[in-house]
Structure formats: C-alpha cells, structure tokens
Amino acid sequence: MLGVVVGPGGSTIKEIQEKYKVRVFVPQKGSKDQPLRVEGPDKGLVHDAADHIKALAQKAVTTTVTITAPNNMLGVVVGPGGSTIKEIQEKYKVRVFVPQKGSKDQPLRVEGPDKGLVHDAADHIKALVQKAVTTTVTITAPNNMLGVVVGPGGSTIKKIQEKYKVWVFVPQKGSKDQPLRVEGLDKGLVQDAAVHIESLMAYEKERRRLSTPVSETVFIPKAHHGLIIGRQGQNIRYLSLTRRITIVLPPKNVISDEVTVTGLPDQVDQGVRDLVNLVKSSTHICYNSDF
C-alpha cells in the first residue's frame, strides 16, 4: 500500500506534506513490519495527515473477482487488438487479467480499488461471454471443392470471414469425409456465411459440369444414318463444327442404331436435338435418346 501514499513520482506524499505541514517517512522497499511515520509541529495537523493516509490506504484495498470462462471465449473479452479489454479497464478503473492461451481451467481475474466498479466490470464481462455463445454450422464438401472456398492465397475465405464476422475451418488436404465448419457469435451471420459457401460450391460444381465433356447415345435406325452424314459428309461436318461435338456412327458393316455424340453438356444436348430433327424432318419418325 506504500505506493498509494507515495503516488506517481512522489506526488501524493508531497501534496500531503505541503497541505498538513508535516514530514512523512515511508519505510524502504523490502523492510518488514516497519511503520510509516508522520511528524510535525502541529499535533492536529499531524493527526489530520495520518487520517488522510489511512483513508488512502483503506480506499486502495484491492478487490478481486474471478470469472470462469471457456478458453474459446477469451477472445471476446480481449476484443480485436485488445480493444474490448482496454475499454472495460478504462470504464471501470480496473485491471483484467486474461489466462494465457492453452492454459487449462484458469479463471479470468478482475482487480481494482473500488469494489463496486470491480463487480460492475465482472458483470460486463459475464454478459459478453454469455452473449458470445458460439454457433457452429457444418458443411459437407468434397475435397476437390475446398480450394473454391479458400480461394487464391486464401483471399475468398478471408473475405467471407470479414464479411460475416465468422471463422471458417477447412479440413486439411487428404482428410477424408471431414466437414467444413463455420463458427461465429451471431447465428444469423453464421448461417448466411454457410449459404454463401454452399452457393460458391454449387456454382463451381455446375461450372465444372458444363466444362467437362460427356457422351450421349441417341438411337436412330441405321437406314437413316446416311441422312446424318449427308452428301460428301456435309451434314455431319456442319453439325460437328457448329456445335463443337464429335458424332460417331457405327461402321457400315455393323448393324446398330446407336449414334454417340460427345462434347460439352449443353452442346451435346443441342447436337442430339439437331440430329433428331434432321432425321424427323426427312422421315417423320420419332426417336428417343438414352440419357
């Protein structure tokens, strides 16, 4: 308690000595059971100075309140760049001691000279922790889709985390059937982030589908394969070039109605329709494709 009497740079003890016309003798640091002495020519002023010092010491008795909080909630108390804990300490004139990362079952401590303010600060912190119950949403994602969520150099996942105030945990490469996790303090934002991620993956899945070649078989009687080929191959060549597809007919000596069309999905669909329409317009026969 001697530091309270001395004050910053000796300012408090100087003020007392000047106000009461006394001399205050403070024991040296480390001295044991040595009393503080107040001396002066005026008995009344000496007693007034002593009462002043006793009041300072009484007021400076530190109150400590401990708060049990899960380790994953301590970041809520600290805040971005320590902003929240700084605000609490300044508002309530207290010191907040947060356990180190990895320490197990260590309580958080609030200390200060004013008992009421210490308890107010503790209640503030408890309310923050209570409000900050984490919401978690898991998303099943194939390993080959995780890169879409992460983005180049982690840019996509960073934007999602900043936009929705969440944490996104992506399974390590090679881990099998491990879901992607989205965690945050705001349930609505966590769910919005999960929807965003699912939309990204759905878009990428469709993009890959449309950019991956497929093959489709349409059954057209072999007697009409000549119509598909056309004079000197002009029909099949035109369809192949305009639709960017490959059309494979069975050899002449093979009795088969199968015609295989290969290309990108949309182009194959259109190419099959063109083939069927070409034959129908000449023969008025209905055909089915095998999807």
Side-chain angles (χ1 to χ4, degrees):
M1 294 297 162
L2 298 179
V4 177
V5 180
V6 175
S11 58
T12 305
I13 197 169
K14 184 180 179 183
E15 181 184 330
I16 293 169
Q17 291 180 139
E18 290 177 352
K19 180 177 180 179
Y20 298 102
K21 315 301 181 187
V22 296
R23 293 187 67 191
V24 181
F25 299 92
V26 178
Q28 290 184 336
K29 285 186 178 180
S31 60
K32 193 175 181 183
D33 300 326
Q34 292 295 312
L36 180 150
R37 288 190 349 264
V38 184
E39 295 181 0
D42 187 309
K43 184 177 180 180
L45 288 176
V46 168
H47 282 288
D48 288 345
D51 289 341
H52 187 138
I53 291 169
K54 288 175 184 176
L56 284 176
Q58 183 65 31
K59 188 178 179 181
V61 173
T62 301
T63 298
T64 302
V65 173
T66 58
I67 303 169
T68 302
N71 276 353
N72 63 349
M73 291 292 156
L74 297 180
V76 177
V77 180
V78 175
S83 58
T84 304
I85 198 170
K86 183 180 179 183
E87 182 183 330
I88 292 170
Q89 292 181 139
E90 290 178 353
K91 181 177 180 180
Y92 299 102
K93 314 300 182 189
V94 297
R95 293 186 68 193
V96 182
F97 300 90
V98 178
Q100 290 184 333
K101 284 186 178 180
S103 59
K104 194 175 181 183
D105 300 325
Q106 292 295 311
L108 181 150
R109 281 186 0 261
V110 185
E111 295 183 358
D114 188 308
K115 186 177 180 179
L117 288 177
V118 169
H119 283 282
D120 287 345
D123 289 341
H124 186 137
I125 291 168
K126 288 174 184 176
L128 283 178
V129 172
Q130 183 66 29
K131 185 179 178 182
V133 175
T134 303
T135 297
T136 301
V137 173
T138 58
I139 302 171
T140 302
N143 277 352
N144 64 356
M145 286 289 174
L146 297 180
V148 178
V149 180
V150 175
S155 58
T156 304
I157 198 170
K158 184 179 179 183
K159 285 179 183 176
I160 292 171
Q161 293 181 140
E162 290 178 352
K163 180 176 181 180
Y164 298 102
K165 315 298 182 190
V166 297
W167 296 275
V168 181
F169 300 93
V170 177
Q172 290 185 334
K173 285 186 177 180
S175 59
K176 194 175 180 183
D177 300 324
Q178 292 295 311
L180 181 150
R181 281 186 1 260
V182 184
E183 294 185 0
L185 309 179
D186 187 309
K187 185 177 181 180
L189 288 177
V190 170
Q191 291 174 336
D192 288 345
V195 170
H196 186 136
I197 290 168
E198 288 172 339
S199 297
L200 281 178
M201 293 193 297
Y203 176 84
E204 177 62 16
K205 185 177 180 181
E206 180 64 8
R207 187 194 69 78
R208 292 180 186 181
R209 184 189 75 80
L210 294 176
S211 61
T212 301
V214 296
S215 292
E216 188 174 325
T217 299
V218 60
F219 292 90
I220 297 174
K222 190 171 179 65
H224 303 301
H225 288 187
L227 290 171
I228 297 172
I229 296 171
R231 180 174 296 181
Q232 296 181 342
Q234 63 181 6
N235 289 346
I236 195 169
R237 186 165 54 252
Y238 174 78
L239 287 173
S240 297
L241 291 174
T242 56
R243 298 301 178 195
R244 297 182 181 179
I245 55 177
T246 300
I247 302 171
V248 178
L249 301 168
K252 287 183 179 181
N253 60 346
V254 175
I255 301 174
S256 173
D257 296 335
E258 292 185 7
V259 178
T260 303
V261 182
T262 301
L264 297 181
D266 286 350
Q267 293 162 337
V268 166
D269 289 344
Q270 187 59 54
V272 169
R273 284 195 292 271
D274 289 344
L275 285 175
V276 172
N277 288 336
L278 174 65
V279 176
K280 281 173 65 177
S281 64
S282 301
T283 64
H284 304 291
I285 299 175
C286 294
Y287 299 99
N288 295 316
S289 59
D290 181 21
F291 291 92

